[in-house]
Amino acid sequence: MSNTILSKDSGPIIPTTPLVTFLERVQQTALNTYGHNKKGFDPKLYVDLSLKQNLSTTEKVFDKLVINGSVSVKEFDEFVEKYLGGAEEDLVYVHPVDFVDEPPDFLPKVKNMEVRNWALEVHSLWKNLSRKVSDRVIDRPEFYTLLPLKNPVIIPGSRFREVYYWDSYWVIRGLLASKMYETAKGIVYNLISLIDEYGHVLNGARAYYTNRSQPPLLSSMVIDIYNRTGDKDLVLKALPALLKEHKFWNSGIHKVIIEDTEGTTHTLSRYYAMWNEPRPESSTIDKETASKLSNNCSKTRLYREIASTAETGWDFSTRWMRNGSDLTTLATTSIIPVDLNAYILKMELDITSLANVIGDNITAASFTKAFQARKRAIDSIFWNSEMQQWLDYWLSDSNESKEVYTWNASGQNRKVFCSNFIPLWIQLFNSVECFCLCIREKDVKMVDEVVQSLQSSGLVCPAGIATSLTNSGQQWDFPNGWAPIQHMIVKGLVSSGSEQARLVAEDIAVKWIRTNYAAYKKSGTLHEKYDVEKCGDFGGGGEYGPQTGFGWSNGVVLAFLEEFGWPEDLKLDCP
Ligand SMILES: OC[C@H]1O[C@H](O[C@H]2O[C@H](CO)[C@@H](O)[C@H](O)[C@H]2O)[C@H](O)[C@@H](O)[C@@H]1O
């Protein structure tokens, strides 16, 4: 965070590197040269290329060649071939040290042979997605946008050629089912090293991702690995990093203070990227979006909102837009998101538990207070007793930042999104005094009411939980369903102590496994997202084409099969 500066729109920015800026120019030139018609033009590809010679030499040649942003296709292709390295050269394939074809005691509850054989295929996909930083990057880091992480990583797949922050949580859930504890720990140590270097975990391990984070789930990764391995050394190394990360989300522009109707003030968190220009990986797209705005000030503001939306992990969705059909109305920094605050509450609970593991009573006591305070804040600001859901809260005036905002019922966004149910994962229905330690009758009654609300929300579809009820063409909206969301809601329902909730959870998990399997049978791969309207269909929409591989989807299939198993006589095909 040391190189953070204040920008004209008064928010902080973290400057990017000269290489990223140059590759953005290459990206723009590629678009000008090939035109929009080039099949599968993906702007991200260009910022993932590397240098073959130093930047100033390469830039001189490029400047000579490209006049007014244009050059012939032949000359451009020759330049790329001669001066730039391919996008796959920086992360190289590595066989995971702890991979075995059939791990001992693998998915013991799966009794059906068809399911077991498929699960073993999904397990074997870790080999395809395993990478380590190439020696070339270690030797000449200034030639690459990839950040040199020490340990191997599991990448999501396809265009996502680097490790991602929140994806890693579900990758790790799958690795734990696959008993690949060393690989899982290596990923966590990599993320810790990013906190040491940048003060937060980056969106992904690229130079162009340093100005934002992603949903903060590092503590969840650490606690889940600790619960399986009992590795105290991991806890000792992770705790200082988690304390730094907690500070990142609870200070500066991420922190929001809000006063409720009783006059009590609460501190909550929001997404806020430290960037107000086009995202380098999608620069041509962002400039086109902003071209609808007439003045530079509103463009700068929009770029900040776009980057902040990428920080949410939900890029893009009507959830963040004032007008659901117009991306220029993104207002993410004016929203206090219910899921982000649930993740941070979980971070506070996890830090308390981890501090107890290593006997750090002072940290444990202070984080007990922190999670109790956030629990009260969540109850007061987000909970809507009429809808029996937790709703995002929109700050009243987007342009004016205040020391303390005043809560107003109209600030709660009453539109239905799957994020309204994410607090289930953190057991937020539990009363403060009972948090995580017991399940009371009163709490179970509340779960049943939330489950009722989920079931009648319209989100539960034939092939899983939809992201929203609005078909906007954005990827984090209807009819897409995403593996991480299915997992958090299902897991929350299972752990709630309500029998009814467990049945609903199991039903969703079965639907999800079936749709993943049917799509796999058709295409031979798992997908980044699925269309929840029809079993076996993958999802679409958004700014890039459908991606396969796919880290978190593989992880959730394995995690569900580990949790629920699969009886011998239950059909795996779509109903
Ligand atoms: O390049 C566009 C955006 O791509 C990423 O977002 C999407 O993929 C990620 C990796 O699976 C996932 O974490 C995220 O939730 C998806 O929306 C990237 O994270 C964005 O920052 C980037 O702008």
Side-chain angles (χ1 to χ4, degrees), residues 164 166 203 209 211-215 271 273 279 281 286 303-316 320 330 332 543:
Y164 280 77
W166 77 318
N203 181 143
Y209 283 145
N211 53 53
R212 59 177 186 259
S213 188
Q214 258 198 337
Y271 292 106
R279 291 164 300 155
E281 77 282 13
D286 290 354
Y303 290 142
R304 169 98 56 195
E305 296 301 337
I306 290 177
S308 301
T309 313
E311 189 171 60
T312 71
W314 282 47
D315 42 327
F316 293 94
W320 315 110
L330 281 172
T332 309
E543 68 179 31

PDB file of all heavy atoms in Angstrom, residues 164 166 203 209 211-215 271 273 279 281 286 303-316 320 330 332 543:
ATOM      1  N   TYR A 164      -6.464 -16.971  -8.962  1.00  0.00           N
ATOM      2  CA  TYR A 164      -7.447 -15.953  -8.543  1.00  0.00           C
ATOM      3  C   TYR A 164      -7.719 -16.108  -7.061  1.00  0.00           C
ATOM      4  O   TYR A 164      -7.657 -17.219  -6.530  1.00  0.00           O
ATOM      5  CB  TYR A 164      -8.739 -16.085  -9.367  1.00  0.00           C
ATOM      6  CG  TYR A 164      -8.537 -15.432 -10.717  1.00  0.00           C
ATOM      7  CD1 TYR A 164      -7.816 -16.079 -11.706  1.00  0.00           C
ATOM      8  CD2 TYR A 164      -8.954 -14.137 -10.956  1.00  0.00           C
ATOM      9  CE1 TYR A 164      -7.544 -15.454 -12.912  1.00  0.00           C
ATOM     10  CE2 TYR A 164      -8.687 -13.506 -12.158  1.00  0.00           C
ATOM     11  CZ  TYR A 164      -7.985 -14.167 -13.136  1.00  0.00           C
ATOM     12  OH  TYR A 164      -7.697 -13.533 -14.310  1.00  0.00           O
ATOM     13  N   TRP A 166     -10.654 -15.387  -4.824  1.00  0.00           N
ATOM     14  CA  TRP A 166     -11.754 -16.133  -4.176  1.00  0.00           C
ATOM     15  C   TRP A 166     -11.970 -17.496  -4.812  1.00  0.00           C
ATOM     16  O   TRP A 166     -12.408 -18.434  -4.150  1.00  0.00           O
ATOM     17  CB  TRP A 166     -13.015 -15.294  -4.035  1.00  0.00           C
ATOM     18  CG  TRP A 166     -13.924 -15.039  -5.198  1.00  0.00           C
ATOM     19  CD1 TRP A 166     -13.556 -14.738  -6.460  1.00  0.00           C
ATOM     20  CD2 TRP A 166     -15.359 -15.036  -5.174  1.00  0.00           C
ATOM     21  NE1 TRP A 166     -14.676 -14.516  -7.233  1.00  0.00           N
ATOM     22  CE2 TRP A 166     -15.799 -14.694  -6.468  1.00  0.00           C
ATOM     23  CE3 TRP A 166     -16.322 -15.274  -4.190  1.00  0.00           C
ATOM     24  CZ2 TRP A 166     -17.151 -14.592  -6.811  1.00  0.00           C
ATOM     25  CZ3 TRP A 166     -17.664 -15.182  -4.526  1.00  0.00           C
ATOM     26  CH2 TRP A 166     -18.070 -14.842  -5.818  1.00  0.00           C
ATOM     27  N   ASN A 203      -6.679  -9.452  -6.606  1.00  0.00           N
ATOM     28  CA  ASN A 203      -7.713 -10.103  -7.429  1.00  0.00           C
ATOM     29  C   ASN A 203      -7.135 -11.362  -8.097  1.00  0.00           C
ATOM     30  O   ASN A 203      -7.751 -12.440  -8.114  1.00  0.00           O
ATOM     31  CB  ASN A 203      -8.154  -9.069  -8.471  1.00  0.00           C
ATOM     32  CG  ASN A 203      -9.245  -9.507  -9.425  1.00  0.00           C
ATOM     33  OD1 ASN A 203     -10.094  -8.714  -9.792  1.00  0.00           O
ATOM     34  ND2 ASN A 203      -9.246 -10.746  -9.870  1.00  0.00           N
ATOM     35  N   TYR A 209      -3.514  -6.503 -11.600  1.00  0.00           N
ATOM     36  CA  TYR A 209      -4.533  -6.744 -10.573  1.00  0.00           C
ATOM     37  C   TYR A 209      -4.138  -6.169  -9.207  1.00  0.00           C
ATOM     38  O   TYR A 209      -4.805  -6.458  -8.206  1.00  0.00           O
ATOM     39  CB  TYR A 209      -4.757  -8.242 -10.403  1.00  0.00           C
ATOM     40  CG  TYR A 209      -5.601  -8.931 -11.470  1.00  0.00           C
ATOM     41  CD1 TYR A 209      -5.309 -10.245 -11.855  1.00  0.00           C
ATOM     42  CD2 TYR A 209      -6.699  -8.308 -12.058  1.00  0.00           C
ATOM     43  CE1 TYR A 209      -6.084 -10.906 -12.808  1.00  0.00           C
ATOM     44  CE2 TYR A 209      -7.472  -8.965 -13.013  1.00  0.00           C
ATOM     45  CZ  TYR A 209      -7.159 -10.256 -13.384  1.00  0.00           C
ATOM     46  OH  TYR A 209      -7.935 -10.918 -14.318  1.00  0.00           O
ATOM     47  N   ASN A 211      -4.323  -3.276  -7.966  1.00  0.00           N
ATOM     48  CA  ASN A 211      -5.120  -2.169  -7.405  1.00  0.00           C
ATOM     49  C   ASN A 211      -6.460  -2.604  -6.823  1.00  0.00           C
ATOM     50  O   ASN A 211      -7.283  -1.763  -6.479  1.00  0.00           O
ATOM     51  CB  ASN A 211      -5.335  -1.111  -8.491  1.00  0.00           C
ATOM     52  CG  ASN A 211      -5.926  -1.722  -9.747  1.00  0.00           C
ATOM     53  OD1 ASN A 211      -6.951  -2.394  -9.689  1.00  0.00           O
ATOM     54  ND2 ASN A 211      -5.293  -1.511 -10.887  1.00  0.00           N
ATOM     55  N   ARG A 212      -6.703  -3.877  -6.730  1.00  0.00           N
ATOM     56  CA  ARG A 212      -7.955  -4.329  -6.106  1.00  0.00           C
ATOM     57  C   ARG A 212      -7.787  -5.745  -5.554  1.00  0.00           C
ATOM     58  O   ARG A 212      -6.904  -6.487  -5.978  1.00  0.00           O
ATOM     59  CB  ARG A 212      -9.104  -4.289  -7.113  1.00  0.00           C
ATOM     60  CG  ARG A 212      -8.893  -5.149  -8.333  1.00  0.00           C
ATOM     61  CD  ARG A 212     -10.106  -5.102  -9.253  1.00  0.00           C
ATOM     62  NE  ARG A 212      -9.984  -6.031 -10.353  1.00  0.00           N
ATOM     63  CZ  ARG A 212      -9.624  -5.691 -11.581  1.00  0.00           C
ATOM     64  NH1 ARG A 212      -9.345  -4.444 -11.875  1.00  0.00           N
ATOM     65  NH2 ARG A 212      -9.555  -6.619 -12.522  1.00  0.00           N
ATOM     66  N   SER A 213      -8.717  -6.090  -4.643  1.00  0.00           N
ATOM     67  CA  SER A 213      -8.724  -7.437  -4.079  1.00  0.00           C
ATOM     68  C   SER A 213      -9.919  -8.194  -4.654  1.00  0.00           C
ATOM     69  O   SER A 213     -10.397  -7.858  -5.762  1.00  0.00           O
ATOM     70  CB  SER A 213      -8.782  -7.346  -2.554  1.00  0.00           C
ATOM     71  OG  SER A 213      -8.612  -8.599  -1.970  1.00  0.00           O
ATOM     72  N   GLN A 214     -10.392  -9.162  -3.961  1.00  0.00           N
ATOM     73  CA  GLN A 214     -11.595  -9.938  -4.315  1.00  0.00           C
ATOM     74  C   GLN A 214     -12.232 -10.385  -3.004  1.00  0.00           C
ATOM     75  O   GLN A 214     -11.651 -10.159  -1.941  1.00  0.00           O
ATOM     76  CB  GLN A 214     -11.206 -11.136  -5.183  1.00  0.00           C
ATOM     77  CG  GLN A 214     -11.474 -10.962  -6.665  1.00  0.00           C
ATOM     78  CD  GLN A 214     -11.502 -12.277  -7.424  1.00  0.00           C
ATOM     79  OE1 GLN A 214     -10.922 -13.278  -6.982  1.00  0.00           O
ATOM     80  NE2 GLN A 214     -12.157 -12.301  -8.566  1.00  0.00           N
ATOM     81  N   PRO A 215     -13.422 -10.998  -3.047  1.00  0.00           N
ATOM     82  CA  PRO A 215     -14.048 -11.420  -1.777  1.00  0.00           C
ATOM     83  C   PRO A 215     -13.044 -12.123  -0.860  1.00  0.00           C
ATOM     84  O   PRO A 215     -12.385 -13.093  -1.272  1.00  0.00           O
ATOM     85  CB  PRO A 215     -15.163 -12.361  -2.244  1.00  0.00           C
ATOM     86  CG  PRO A 215     -15.546 -11.792  -3.585  1.00  0.00           C
ATOM     87  CD  PRO A 215     -14.250 -11.340  -4.202  1.00  0.00           C
ATOM     88  N   TYR A 271     -16.701  -2.585  -1.160  1.00  0.00           N
ATOM     89  CA  TYR A 271     -15.675  -2.756  -2.184  1.00  0.00           C
ATOM     90  C   TYR A 271     -15.297  -1.379  -2.724  1.00  0.00           C
ATOM     91  O   TYR A 271     -16.177  -0.510  -2.888  1.00  0.00           O
ATOM     92  CB  TYR A 271     -16.199  -3.632  -3.326  1.00  0.00           C
ATOM     93  CG  TYR A 271     -16.427  -5.071  -2.911  1.00  0.00           C
ATOM     94  CD1 TYR A 271     -17.716  -5.575  -2.717  1.00  0.00           C
ATOM     95  CD2 TYR A 271     -15.350  -5.927  -2.715  1.00  0.00           C
ATOM     96  CE1 TYR A 271     -17.915  -6.902  -2.342  1.00  0.00           C
ATOM     97  CE2 TYR A 271     -15.539  -7.257  -2.334  1.00  0.00           C
ATOM     98  CZ  TYR A 271     -16.825  -7.736  -2.152  1.00  0.00           C
ATOM     99  OH  TYR A 271     -17.016  -9.039  -1.783  1.00  0.00           O
ATOM    100  N   ALA A 273     -12.098  -0.142  -5.432  1.00  0.00           N
ATOM    101  CA  ALA A 273     -10.800  -0.380  -6.077  1.00  0.00           C
ATOM    102  C   ALA A 273      -9.936   0.871  -6.035  1.00  0.00           C
ATOM    103  O   ALA A 273     -10.446   1.992  -6.025  1.00  0.00           O
ATOM    104  CB  ALA A 273     -11.015  -0.799  -7.523  1.00  0.00           C
ATOM    105  N   ARG A 279      -9.818  -0.988 -16.877  1.00  0.00           N
ATOM    106  CA  ARG A 279      -9.084  -2.163 -16.399  1.00  0.00           C
ATOM    107  C   ARG A 279      -8.146  -2.614 -17.526  1.00  0.00           C
ATOM    108  O   ARG A 279      -8.628  -2.860 -18.644  1.00  0.00           O
ATOM    109  CB  ARG A 279     -10.047  -3.328 -16.106  1.00  0.00           C
ATOM    110  CG  ARG A 279     -10.961  -3.166 -14.930  1.00  0.00           C
ATOM    111  CD  ARG A 279     -12.095  -4.182 -14.996  1.00  0.00           C
ATOM    112  NE  ARG A 279     -12.882  -4.011 -16.209  1.00  0.00           N
ATOM    113  CZ  ARG A 279     -13.609  -4.958 -16.798  1.00  0.00           C
ATOM    114  NH1 ARG A 279     -13.681  -6.162 -16.285  1.00  0.00           N
ATOM    115  NH2 ARG A 279     -14.294  -4.704 -17.904  1.00  0.00           N
ATOM    116  N   GLU A 281      -6.902  -5.365 -18.410  1.00  0.00           N
ATOM    117  CA  GLU A 281      -7.251  -6.626 -19.069  1.00  0.00           C
ATOM    118  C   GLU A 281      -8.486  -6.491 -19.946  1.00  0.00           C
ATOM    119  O   GLU A 281      -8.776  -7.392 -20.750  1.00  0.00           O
ATOM    120  CB  GLU A 281      -7.417  -7.758 -18.035  1.00  0.00           C
ATOM    121  CG  GLU A 281      -8.718  -7.767 -17.237  1.00  0.00           C
ATOM    122  CD  GLU A 281      -8.757  -6.753 -16.092  1.00  0.00           C
ATOM    123  OE1 GLU A 281      -7.896  -5.850 -16.030  1.00  0.00           O
ATOM    124  OE2 GLU A 281      -9.678  -6.873 -15.254  1.00  0.00           O
ATOM    125  N   ASP A 286     -13.770  -1.277 -21.684  1.00  0.00           N
ATOM    126  CA  ASP A 286     -14.131  -0.211 -20.744  1.00  0.00           C
ATOM    127  C   ASP A 286     -14.182   1.145 -21.446  1.00  0.00           C
ATOM    128  O   ASP A 286     -15.061   1.972 -21.161  1.00  0.00           O
ATOM    129  CB  ASP A 286     -13.144  -0.166 -19.565  1.00  0.00           C
ATOM    130  CG  ASP A 286     -13.307  -1.388 -18.656  1.00  0.00           C
ATOM    131  OD1 ASP A 286     -14.245  -2.171 -18.887  1.00  0.00           O
ATOM    132  OD2 ASP A 286     -12.497  -1.545 -17.729  1.00  0.00           O
ATOM    133  N   TYR A 303     -14.869   4.424 -14.403  1.00  0.00           N
ATOM    134  CA  TYR A 303     -13.760   3.459 -14.368  1.00  0.00           C
ATOM    135  C   TYR A 303     -13.542   2.944 -12.946  1.00  0.00           C
ATOM    136  O   TYR A 303     -13.266   1.772 -12.735  1.00  0.00           O
ATOM    137  CB  TYR A 303     -12.475   4.101 -14.909  1.00  0.00           C
ATOM    138  CG  TYR A 303     -12.517   4.367 -16.410  1.00  0.00           C
ATOM    139  CD1 TYR A 303     -11.943   5.528 -16.951  1.00  0.00           C
ATOM    140  CD2 TYR A 303     -13.112   3.469 -17.297  1.00  0.00           C
ATOM    141  CE1 TYR A 303     -11.972   5.777 -18.321  1.00  0.00           C
ATOM    142  CE2 TYR A 303     -13.149   3.718 -18.669  1.00  0.00           C
ATOM    143  CZ  TYR A 303     -12.577   4.871 -19.176  1.00  0.00           C
ATOM    144  OH  TYR A 303     -12.605   5.106 -20.527  1.00  0.00           O
ATOM    145  N   ARG A 304     -13.664   3.831 -11.967  1.00  0.00           N
ATOM    146  CA  ARG A 304     -13.519   3.407 -10.565  1.00  0.00           C
ATOM    147  C   ARG A 304     -14.608   2.380 -10.226  1.00  0.00           C
ATOM    148  O   ARG A 304     -14.355   1.377  -9.569  1.00  0.00           O
ATOM    149  CB  ARG A 304     -13.606   4.629  -9.650  1.00  0.00           C
ATOM    150  CG  ARG A 304     -13.741   4.333  -8.183  1.00  0.00           C
ATOM    151  CD  ARG A 304     -12.480   4.400  -7.385  1.00  0.00           C
ATOM    152  NE  ARG A 304     -11.768   5.641  -7.465  1.00  0.00           N
ATOM    153  CZ  ARG A 304     -10.492   5.761  -7.067  1.00  0.00           C
ATOM    154  NH1 ARG A 304      -9.850   4.720  -6.583  1.00  0.00           N
ATOM    155  NH2 ARG A 304      -9.870   6.911  -7.159  1.00  0.00           N
ATOM    156  N   GLU A 305     -15.832   2.661 -10.681  1.00  0.00           N
ATOM    157  CA  GLU A 305     -16.942   1.743 -10.371  1.00  0.00           C
ATOM    158  C   GLU A 305     -16.745   0.386 -11.055  1.00  0.00           C
ATOM    159  O   GLU A 305     -17.026  -0.664 -10.475  1.00  0.00           O
ATOM    160  CB  GLU A 305     -18.291   2.348 -10.791  1.00  0.00           C
ATOM    161  CG  GLU A 305     -18.687   3.622 -10.038  1.00  0.00           C
ATOM    162  CD  GLU A 305     -18.783   3.452  -8.525  1.00  0.00           C
ATOM    163  OE1 GLU A 305     -18.970   2.322  -8.056  1.00  0.00           O
ATOM    164  OE2 GLU A 305     -18.649   4.473  -7.809  1.00  0.00           O
ATOM    165  N   ILE A 306     -16.231   0.431 -12.295  1.00  0.00           N
ATOM    166  CA  ILE A 306     -16.007  -0.836 -13.013  1.00  0.00           C
ATOM    167  C   ILE A 306     -14.963  -1.672 -12.273  1.00  0.00           C
ATOM    168  O   ILE A 306     -15.162  -2.869 -12.024  1.00  0.00           O
ATOM    169  CB  ILE A 306     -15.549  -0.555 -14.471  1.00  0.00           C
ATOM    170  CG1 ILE A 306     -16.707   0.040 -15.293  1.00  0.00           C
ATOM    171  CG2 ILE A 306     -15.034  -1.831 -15.127  1.00  0.00           C
ATOM    172  CD1 ILE A 306     -16.333   0.432 -16.729  1.00  0.00           C
ATOM    173  N   ALA A 307     -13.841  -1.037 -11.911  1.00  0.00           N
ATOM    174  CA  ALA A 307     -12.781  -1.783 -11.212  1.00  0.00           C
ATOM    175  C   ALA A 307     -13.281  -2.279  -9.845  1.00  0.00           C
ATOM    176  O   ALA A 307     -12.964  -3.401  -9.424  1.00  0.00           O
ATOM    177  CB  ALA A 307     -11.549  -0.902 -11.041  1.00  0.00           C
ATOM    178  N   SER A 308     -14.093  -1.453  -9.178  1.00  0.00           N
ATOM    179  CA  SER A 308     -14.622  -1.872  -7.866  1.00  0.00           C
ATOM    180  C   SER A 308     -15.576  -3.054  -8.037  1.00  0.00           C
ATOM    181  O   SER A 308     -15.662  -3.925  -7.166  1.00  0.00           O
ATOM    182  CB  SER A 308     -15.352  -0.711  -7.178  1.00  0.00           C
ATOM    183  OG  SER A 308     -14.465   0.366  -7.000  1.00  0.00           O
ATOM    184  N   THR A 309     -16.291  -3.088  -9.150  1.00  0.00           N
ATOM    185  CA  THR A 309     -17.193  -4.216  -9.390  1.00  0.00           C
ATOM    186  C   THR A 309     -16.388  -5.489  -9.644  1.00  0.00           C
ATOM    187  O   THR A 309     -16.776  -6.580  -9.203  1.00  0.00           O
ATOM    188  CB  THR A 309     -18.149  -3.915 -10.563  1.00  0.00           C
ATOM    189  OG1 THR A 309     -18.697  -2.612 -10.381  1.00  0.00           O
ATOM    190  CG2 THR A 309     -19.279  -4.936 -10.626  1.00  0.00           C
ATOM    191  N   ALA A 310     -15.239  -5.333 -10.325  1.00  0.00           N
ATOM    192  CA  ALA A 310     -14.375  -6.514 -10.513  1.00  0.00           C
ATOM    193  C   ALA A 310     -13.892  -7.015  -9.142  1.00  0.00           C
ATOM    194  O   ALA A 310     -13.727  -8.221  -8.941  1.00  0.00           O
ATOM    195  CB  ALA A 310     -13.198  -6.162 -11.411  1.00  0.00           C
ATOM    196  N   GLU A 311     -13.719  -6.084  -8.200  1.00  0.00           N
ATOM    197  CA  GLU A 311     -13.290  -6.497  -6.848  1.00  0.00           C
ATOM    198  C   GLU A 311     -14.355  -7.358  -6.152  1.00  0.00           C
ATOM    199  O   GLU A 311     -14.041  -8.214  -5.330  1.00  0.00           O
ATOM    200  CB  GLU A 311     -12.985  -5.262  -5.996  1.00  0.00           C
ATOM    201  CG  GLU A 311     -12.340  -5.595  -4.669  1.00  0.00           C
ATOM    202  CD  GLU A 311     -11.831  -4.353  -3.925  1.00  0.00           C
ATOM    203  OE1 GLU A 311     -12.659  -3.467  -3.609  1.00  0.00           O
ATOM    204  OE2 GLU A 311     -10.623  -4.279  -3.653  1.00  0.00           O
ATOM    205  N   THR A 312     -15.624  -7.148  -6.505  1.00  0.00           N
ATOM    206  CA  THR A 312     -16.703  -7.904  -5.846  1.00  0.00           C
ATOM    207  C   THR A 312     -16.706  -9.377  -6.249  1.00  0.00           C
ATOM    208  O   THR A 312     -17.371 -10.194  -5.624  1.00  0.00           O
ATOM    209  CB  THR A 312     -18.105  -7.360  -6.222  1.00  0.00           C
ATOM    210  OG1 THR A 312     -18.381  -7.696  -7.598  1.00  0.00           O
ATOM    211  CG2 THR A 312     -18.216  -5.866  -6.046  1.00  0.00           C
ATOM    212  N   GLY A 313     -16.004  -9.689  -7.375  1.00  0.00           N
ATOM    213  CA  GLY A 313     -16.081 -11.040  -7.925  1.00  0.00           C
ATOM    214  C   GLY A 313     -17.309 -11.211  -8.817  1.00  0.00           C
ATOM    215  O   GLY A 313     -17.389 -12.139  -9.596  1.00  0.00           O
ATOM    216  N   TRP A 314     -18.276 -10.290  -8.688  1.00  0.00           N
ATOM    217  CA  TRP A 314     -19.520 -10.350  -9.470  1.00  0.00           C
ATOM    218  C   TRP A 314     -19.436  -9.325 -10.616  1.00  0.00           C
ATOM    219  O   TRP A 314     -20.196  -8.365 -10.662  1.00  0.00           O
ATOM    220  CB  TRP A 314     -20.709  -9.956  -8.618  1.00  0.00           C
ATOM    221  CG  TRP A 314     -21.244 -10.957  -7.657  1.00  0.00           C
ATOM    222  CD1 TRP A 314     -20.560 -11.738  -6.781  1.00  0.00           C
ATOM    223  CD2 TRP A 314     -22.638 -11.243  -7.424  1.00  0.00           C
ATOM    224  NE1 TRP A 314     -21.421 -12.477  -6.016  1.00  0.00           N
ATOM    225  CE2 TRP A 314     -22.713 -12.194  -6.400  1.00  0.00           C
ATOM    226  CE3 TRP A 314     -23.833 -10.777  -7.984  1.00  0.00           C
ATOM    227  CZ2 TRP A 314     -23.923 -12.699  -5.917  1.00  0.00           C
ATOM    228  CZ3 TRP A 314     -25.027 -11.273  -7.502  1.00  0.00           C
ATOM    229  CH2 TRP A 314     -25.072 -12.231  -6.499  1.00  0.00           C
ATOM    230  N   ASP A 315     -18.505  -9.541 -11.525  1.00  0.00           N
ATOM    231  CA  ASP A 315     -18.417  -8.601 -12.628  1.00  0.00           C
ATOM    232  C   ASP A 315     -19.026  -9.240 -13.865  1.00  0.00           C
ATOM    233  O   ASP A 315     -18.445 -10.189 -14.374  1.00  0.00           O
ATOM    234  CB  ASP A 315     -16.976  -8.150 -12.866  1.00  0.00           C
ATOM    235  CG  ASP A 315     -15.961  -9.296 -12.766  1.00  0.00           C
ATOM    236  OD1 ASP A 315     -16.159 -10.230 -11.968  1.00  0.00           O
ATOM    237  OD2 ASP A 315     -14.986  -9.259 -13.516  1.00  0.00           O
ATOM    238  N   PHE A 316     -20.152  -8.755 -14.316  1.00  0.00           N
ATOM    239  CA  PHE A 316     -20.959  -7.654 -13.833  1.00  0.00           C
ATOM    240  C   PHE A 316     -22.365  -8.156 -13.529  1.00  0.00           C
ATOM    241  O   PHE A 316     -22.723  -9.245 -13.928  1.00  0.00           O
ATOM    242  CB  PHE A 316     -21.011  -6.528 -14.890  1.00  0.00           C
ATOM    243  CG  PHE A 316     -19.648  -5.895 -15.076  1.00  0.00           C
ATOM    244  CD1 PHE A 316     -18.798  -6.339 -16.079  1.00  0.00           C
ATOM    245  CD2 PHE A 316     -19.204  -4.914 -14.209  1.00  0.00           C
ATOM    246  CE1 PHE A 316     -17.532  -5.780 -16.238  1.00  0.00           C
ATOM    247  CE2 PHE A 316     -17.936  -4.347 -14.361  1.00  0.00           C
ATOM    248  CZ  PHE A 316     -17.097  -4.783 -15.379  1.00  0.00           C
ATOM    249  N   TRP A 320     -25.289  -4.155  -9.055  1.00  0.00           N
ATOM    250  CA  TRP A 320     -24.466  -2.963  -8.800  1.00  0.00           C
ATOM    251  C   TRP A 320     -24.901  -1.765  -9.639  1.00  0.00           C
ATOM    252  O   TRP A 320     -24.230  -0.742  -9.655  1.00  0.00           O
ATOM    253  CB  TRP A 320     -22.992  -3.267  -9.114  1.00  0.00           C
ATOM    254  CG  TRP A 320     -22.522  -4.578  -8.582  1.00  0.00           C
ATOM    255  CD1 TRP A 320     -22.202  -5.677  -9.305  1.00  0.00           C
ATOM    256  CD2 TRP A 320     -22.303  -4.941  -7.203  1.00  0.00           C
ATOM    257  NE1 TRP A 320     -21.798  -6.711  -8.482  1.00  0.00           N
ATOM    258  CE2 TRP A 320     -21.860  -6.278  -7.191  1.00  0.00           C
ATOM    259  CE3 TRP A 320     -22.446  -4.258  -5.988  1.00  0.00           C
ATOM    260  CZ2 TRP A 320     -21.549  -6.955  -6.008  1.00  0.00           C
ATOM    261  CZ3 TRP A 320     -22.144  -4.941  -4.814  1.00  0.00           C
ATOM    262  CH2 TRP A 320     -21.702  -6.264  -4.834  1.00  0.00           C
ATOM    263  N   LEU A 330     -23.198   1.889 -13.048  1.00  0.00           N
ATOM    264  CA  LEU A 330     -22.622   1.116 -11.934  1.00  0.00           C
ATOM    265  C   LEU A 330     -22.375   2.027 -10.738  1.00  0.00           C
ATOM    266  O   LEU A 330     -21.873   3.142 -10.904  1.00  0.00           O
ATOM    267  CB  LEU A 330     -21.280   0.508 -12.359  1.00  0.00           C
ATOM    268  CG  LEU A 330     -21.320  -0.759 -13.209  1.00  0.00           C
ATOM    269  CD1 LEU A 330     -19.911  -1.104 -13.689  1.00  0.00           C
ATOM    270  CD2 LEU A 330     -21.915  -1.924 -12.437  1.00  0.00           C
ATOM    271  N   THR A 332     -21.145   0.654  -7.476  1.00  0.00           N
ATOM    272  CA  THR A 332     -20.686  -0.316  -6.478  1.00  0.00           C
ATOM    273  C   THR A 332     -20.119   0.325  -5.210  1.00  0.00           C
ATOM    274  O   THR A 332     -20.338  -0.184  -4.108  1.00  0.00           O
ATOM    275  CB  THR A 332     -19.621  -1.228  -7.133  1.00  0.00           C
ATOM    276  OG1 THR A 332     -20.185  -1.710  -8.352  1.00  0.00           O
ATOM    277  CG2 THR A 332     -19.229  -2.382  -6.254  1.00  0.00           C
ATOM    278  N   GLU A 543     -18.756 -10.151 -20.684  1.00  0.00           N
ATOM    279  CA  GLU A 543     -17.822  -9.552 -21.649  1.00  0.00           C
ATOM    280  C   GLU A 543     -16.871 -10.548 -22.295  1.00  0.00           C
ATOM    281  O   GLU A 543     -16.107 -10.183 -23.176  1.00  0.00           O
ATOM    282  CB  GLU A 543     -17.043  -8.413 -20.980  1.00  0.00           C
ATOM    283  CG  GLU A 543     -16.084  -8.882 -19.915  1.00  0.00           C
ATOM    284  CD  GLU A 543     -15.299  -7.731 -19.279  1.00  0.00           C
ATOM    285  OE1 GLU A 543     -15.833  -6.610 -19.183  1.00  0.00           O
ATOM    286  OE2 GLU A 543     -14.157  -7.970 -18.868  1.00  0.00           O
TER     287      GLU A 543
END
